Amino acid sequence: MPNDAQSPAHTEDHEDHEDHEDHEIETLDEFDRVVRAGTLGGYRLQSVDLTARTPELLRTDTADAVFLGCPMEPRAADKVRSDGAMVFPPVPHLPFDPYRGFVYSPDQLFEGLAEGGYEATPDARAYAWFQRTKADGDILASMLRAVHDDAISDALDELLVGARVVGVMGGHAMARGTDAYAGAARLGRSLTRTGLTVATGGGPGAMEAANLGAYAASHPDDMLDEALGMLAEAPSFVPSISDWARAAFAVRARWPKGEASIGIPTWFYGHEPPNAFAAHIAKYFANATREDGLLARSNAGVVFLPGAAGTVQEIFDNATPNYYESRGEPTPMVLVDRAHWTERLPAWPLLTALARERRMESRIALVDTVDEAPAALAGLAAG
């Protein structure tokens, strides 16, 4: 994001939780600060390794606290239970942490890529676990997926406090090296430079391009052109996710410290890997939760690039709360590529029919090119 005022409230270090009204503790630093104040009673601790904090646990009141996936020594666990705390122990042999307190970073999901390829990464291992368990009827597996996704939603809400979020939707098939991909990247860059936080579905294609553009926003303009050339050497995640991902990390290594944006992908579409240009990745098992969460958090509006069934679904998933005003005042919707949305997949005529004589009618626009989208979005927001 262009400046700290528009940045998501929490960075990877997560040092600013002193004033959490919901009493969540997600780091050892937070734990130590709270203990110095005298009590852990009523707090919720998420995935904090407490094996080195036994003396503190033994002498501190923990009544009504909840420990979610926090390793601790047996005598400490016995003591906090005797205080009346609830203890949900870590779940062994999982490729993900269901109680995690923060969204993911690209480095976390792609750990091991350089040495073992994509198949060795936590992202790939979580997808393999999901494939094994999604249809076996095991209530433990379904519970773990639900707990994980709820924790991710909580972390995403904390991350986006105060942010003005614009969604950019589009298909995964948009290849690197194409004019369409370059246009989507310019869009992400333009929106970020206006102070908005770009959020996408977090996958390849148009989603990656918009996150790339956001990443490039703080760099000179020619950086994006050079990055697009490097990425074109691996135009798609098919046939090799490893090559596709390594090209992205090569761009990040050459131009570090890009602006932050959000990716919200899903293991439901596990054949589509997350992209490495979103600084913060909220990855879900449940696609319905992911879709609704992405659109609901796009409080500054949504830009819809050309896409297929998934993008059509997103248009009307977003139109429905705007139609009923179930989330309050309708938010802007900009559809890009007149021929696509009026002829190939004529979503625009239906959208305008739905909007007629409702407040959302003044919050929708159709533009011919992606370069017109930022101005159209700004116009709708001001109207």
Side-chain angles (χ1 to χ4, degrees):
M1 288 110 206
N3 58 62
D4 291 340
Q6 269 84 33
S7 297
H10 304 289
T11 65
E12 193 63 33
D13 292 329
H14 305 288
E15 295 176 349
D16 300 320
H17 289 253
E18 296 98 323
D19 298 323
H20 258 195
E21 295 179 0
D22 55 1
H23 293 277
E24 292 178 7
I25 295 175
E26 295 153 333
T27 69
L28 274 177
D29 285 344
E30 291 176 272
F31 175 88
D32 291 339
R33 286 196 295 269
V34 172
V35 166
R36 284 196 295 270
T39 181
L40 289 166
Y43 279 84
R44 281 78 174 101
L45 295 87
Q46 288 179 257
S47 295
V48 183
D49 188 343
L50 300 175
T51 53
R53 294 296 189 273
T54 297
E56 290 83 356
L57 290 169
L58 292 178
R59 68 171 181 258
T60 304
D61 173 45
T62 59
D64 299 319
V66 179
F67 294 82
L68 299 166
C70 297
M72 62 183 87
E73 291 186 355
R75 60 188 177 128
D78 291 341
K79 184 267 180 186
V80 301
R81 287 191 181 98
S82 69
D83 282 349
M86 295 182 66
V87 178
F88 293 79
V91 181
H93 312 305
L94 277 182
F96 63 94
D97 178 2
Y99 306 115
R100 62 180 298 115
F102 309 113
V103 299
Y104 297 94
S105 70
D107 290 333
Q108 290 169 342
L109 287 176
F110 285 100
E111 183 181 3
L113 174 71
E115 301 82 12
Y118 175 72
E119 292 72 17
T121 66
D123 187 68
R125 289 187 284 112
Y127 176 56
W129 177 88
F130 179 47
Q131 288 292 93
R132 290 195 305 271
T133 63
K134 66 180 181 180
D136 65 7
D138 183 357
I139 191 171
L140 176 61
S142 60
M143 182 193 73
L144 292 171
R145 293 194 296 269
V147 169
H148 169 274
D149 285 1
D150 190 66
I152 288 294
S153 290
D154 180 67
L156 187 58
D157 286 338
E158 293 174 5
L159 179 73
L160 293 177
V161 170
R164 294 171 58 227
V165 180
V166 58
V168 178
M169 310 297 162
H172 68 269
M174 185 183 289
R176 296 166 172 175
T178 63
D179 290 342
Y181 186 96
R186 291 195 305 273
L187 173 66
R189 183 176 64 182
S190 296
L191 293 172
T192 302
R193 286 178 172 174
T194 67
L196 296 171
T197 297
V198 168
T200 78
M207 298 171 279
E208 181 190 54
N211 288 129
L212 166 65
Y215 186 91
S218 60
H219 290 280
D221 286 355
D222 58 1
M223 171 267 179
L224 182 56
D225 294 333
E226 291 186 55
L228 290 169
M230 290 175 61
L231 293 172
E233 297 297 318
S236 173
F237 63 95
V238 178
S240 173
I241 296 176
S242 298
D243 291 345
W244 174 85
R246 285 174 181 140
F249 278 99
V251 168
R252 288 184 41 185
R254 182 168 176 182
W255 293 281
K257 298 181 180 180
E259 290 291 333
S261 65
I262 311 298
I264 308 182
T266 174
W267 281 293
F268 183 80
Y269 297 130
H271 62 287
E272 296 180 15
N275 78 73
F277 293 109
H280 308 289
I281 302 176
K283 191 153 190 179
Y284 289 89
F285 288 105
N287 186 50
T289 305
R290 167 252 194 171
E291 289 275 9
D292 183 69
L294 172 55
L295 294 168
R297 290 174 176 86
S298 297
N299 53 16
V302 183
V303 177
F304 297 91
L305 301 174
T311 310
V312 172
Q313 177 183 338
E314 288 162 346
I315 289 172
F316 293 102
D317 280 348
N318 197 55
T320 299
N322 281 347
Y323 179 90
Y324 290 111
E325 299 187 26
S326 56
R327 295 178 185 147
E329 186 176 346
T331 53
M333 300 175 63
V334 178
L335 277 63
V336 176
D337 191 330
R338 188 176 304 274
H340 185 85
W341 294 121
T342 61
E343 299 171 16
R344 288 189 286 277
L345 292 174
W348 178 250
L350 179 53
L351 183 63
T352 55
L354 282 172
R356 190 170 298 122
E357 298 182 357
R358 304 187 78 88
R359 287 212 297 171
M360 69 177 286
E361 188 171 21
S362 64
R363 295 299 180 94
I364 61 174
L366 175 66
V367 297
D368 291 308
T369 69
V370 70
D371 293 325
E372 299 172 83
L377 184 74
L380 295 177

